[in-house]
Amino acid sequence: MSLRPSPLPTAHPLRYSYGTNGLTDLRLDDALSLLADLGYDGVGLTLDHMHLDPLAPGLAARTQKLARRLDELGLGVTIETGARYVLDPRRKHGPSLLDPDPDQRARRADLLVRAVQIATDLGAHAVHCFSGILPKDPAGEAGTEGQDVTAEDAAWKRLAETLTPVLDAATAAGIPLAVEPEPGHLLATLDDFHRLRTDLGSPDALGLTLDIGHCQCLEPLSPADCVRAAAPWLRHVQIEDMRRGVHEHLPFGDGEIDFPPVLEALAAVGYQGLVSVELPRHSHAGPQLAQQSLPFLHHAAAVSTPPDADRPPNPGEGPTDSDGRTP
């Protein structure tokens, strides 16, 4: 018996996916089959040992096989790089792009370059990454005029330098590198993203992953206003419920987010990537939550549809360059 839900009518051109970091108790092919059967448009694929291990032998052949399977199922894909222990079995998310040891930073950069190649082979629309937390090391680094810089300034410098070869690979591949502001990390907010963008000279390959729950958690703007503010750089979207000031990914309805305005904003700015459900601590109930999440999003999108959404525009109406439409 098919689990595919009956589609709900909606004028929103949004495409939904579910993150494999919330389906870690399933084999990858079982997870993909489930999502296709439920009616998802794609998958947020976390590179990790239990699904697609980026460090194990035979990566190219395994990726090619996966590309064929995604094509058979009609699933789009975004590459996620938030696996907790893929590089170090003892340090969560370690080493990071901010590690004081340049060799360790290079390991993280190499993983991201591999992710770009995997994204190219799978036809993914973006590669996601994040900065990591500020290391607990002394500042002790000389500035351009011989002055010591703070530990935070040194970390921003490391971040920009370590991401440079990854951005070069992303530029050559034509795949956006979508950095995610993450609560508790050096790059935690939209303002922090713009600092990095400025430090790097605003490269075209550098985009933004916007996590809607993180907006609710700590941004001064509402989640819908965050979407509008982020629109020119928006390359990937993660979505879940969350409460103000508490970084805990929650199933839809368990937090405080008003979702119809968020989905309406995403449609209005012309976002064309995947909107990926992000519940990494709920794998024990992954299949059930995947089944519940898509109808919730369809309903929220239908509720947000303006009464005259299907009305043809009047002369002079329509999107302009200032609408922040994602190319």
Side-chain angles (χ1 to χ4, degrees):
M1 176 175 156
S2 174
L3 297 174
R4 187 181 296 274
S6 299
L8 293 175
T10 173
H12 285 275
L14 300 178
R15 298 186 300 135
Y16 301 109
S17 64
Y18 200 95
T20 59
N21 61 0
L23 296 169
T24 55
D25 292 324
L26 275 65
R27 297 177 183 87
L28 179 57
D29 192 67
D30 290 340
L32 298 178
S33 298
L34 172 72
L35 297 181
D37 200 26
L38 289 173
Y40 282 90
D41 301 291
V43 58
L45 177 63
T46 295
L47 302 181
D48 208 347
H49 63 87
M50 78 290 290
H51 286 152
L52 184 65
D53 189 338
L55 304 179
L59 178 60
R62 289 183 287 114
T63 304
Q64 186 179 43
K65 180 180 178 181
L66 176 57
R68 290 194 297 267
R69 185 59 175 151
L70 290 169
D71 186 61
E72 290 171 0
L73 295 172
L75 293 174
V77 60
T78 305
I79 299 301
E80 304 264 1
T81 62
R84 294 181 179 92
Y85 298 101
V86 67
L87 289 176
D88 190 323
R90 289 181 169 85
R91 288 190 297 162
K92 180 181 176 183
H93 298 315
S96 79
L97 295 166
L98 309 177
D99 197 290
D101 185 338
D103 291 336
Q104 293 299 311
R105 294 199 300 274
R107 291 181 63 209
R108 176 62 61 172
D110 177 69
L111 174 67
L112 296 179
V113 171
R114 286 173 181 248
V116 170
Q117 182 59 58
I118 292 168
T120 302
D121 294 342
L122 295 180
H125 76 82
V127 171
H128 147 277
C129 71
F130 47 69
S131 68
I133 63 174
L134 184 67
K136 295 179 180 179
D137 65 323
E141 295 196 17
T144 56
E145 297 180 358
Q147 298 177 342
D148 284 348
V149 297
T150 67
E152 183 173 342
D153 287 338
W156 280 106
K157 183 172 182 288
R158 290 174 190 162
L159 179 60
E161 290 177 347
T162 311
L163 275 180
T164 296
V166 184
L167 285 165
D168 289 344
T171 299
I175 301 229
L177 183 69
V179 179
E180 178 188 6
E182 181 80 22
H185 285 212
L186 176 71
L187 197 157
T189 66
L190 289 174
D191 285 346
D192 293 334
F193 167 74
H194 289 300
R195 172 172 179 170
L196 175 65
R197 187 172 60 85
T198 300
D199 288 348
L200 287 166
S202 301
D204 291 340
L206 182 66
L208 175 70
T209 292
L210 188 69
D211 187 301
I212 300 303
H214 296 173
C215 296
Q216 176 71 21
C217 180
L218 52 70
E219 293 286 354
L221 298 174
S222 72
D225 284 338
C226 285
V227 169
R228 287 183 278 268
W233 305 277
L234 196 55
R235 300 297 179 267
H236 182 40
V237 172
Q238 298 170 346
I239 194 166
E240 69 285 317
D241 219 338
M242 203 169 286
R243 300 186 183 100
R244 184 70 179 170
V246 182
H247 184 204
E248 181 182 4
H249 291 234
L250 299 171
F252 297 121
D254 288 0
E256 302 170 341
I257 297 176
D258 184 13
F259 286 97
V262 174
L263 301 179
E264 186 171 346
L266 285 168
V269 302
Y271 175 68
Q272 297 175 19
L274 292 169
V275 179
S276 194
V277 179
E278 184 80 357
L279 293 171
R281 296 186 179 182
H282 291 78
S283 279
H284 62 282
Q288 292 76 27
L289 287 170
Q291 185 172 8
Q292 296 165 12
S293 295
L294 189 59
F296 179 96
L297 290 168
H298 280 160
H299 178 72
V303 168
S304 71
T305 304
D308 59 348
D310 294 326
R311 174 182 63 84
N314 292 325
E317 291 184 350
T320 66
D321 290 341
S322 63
D323 286 321
R325 185 171 297 275
T326 303

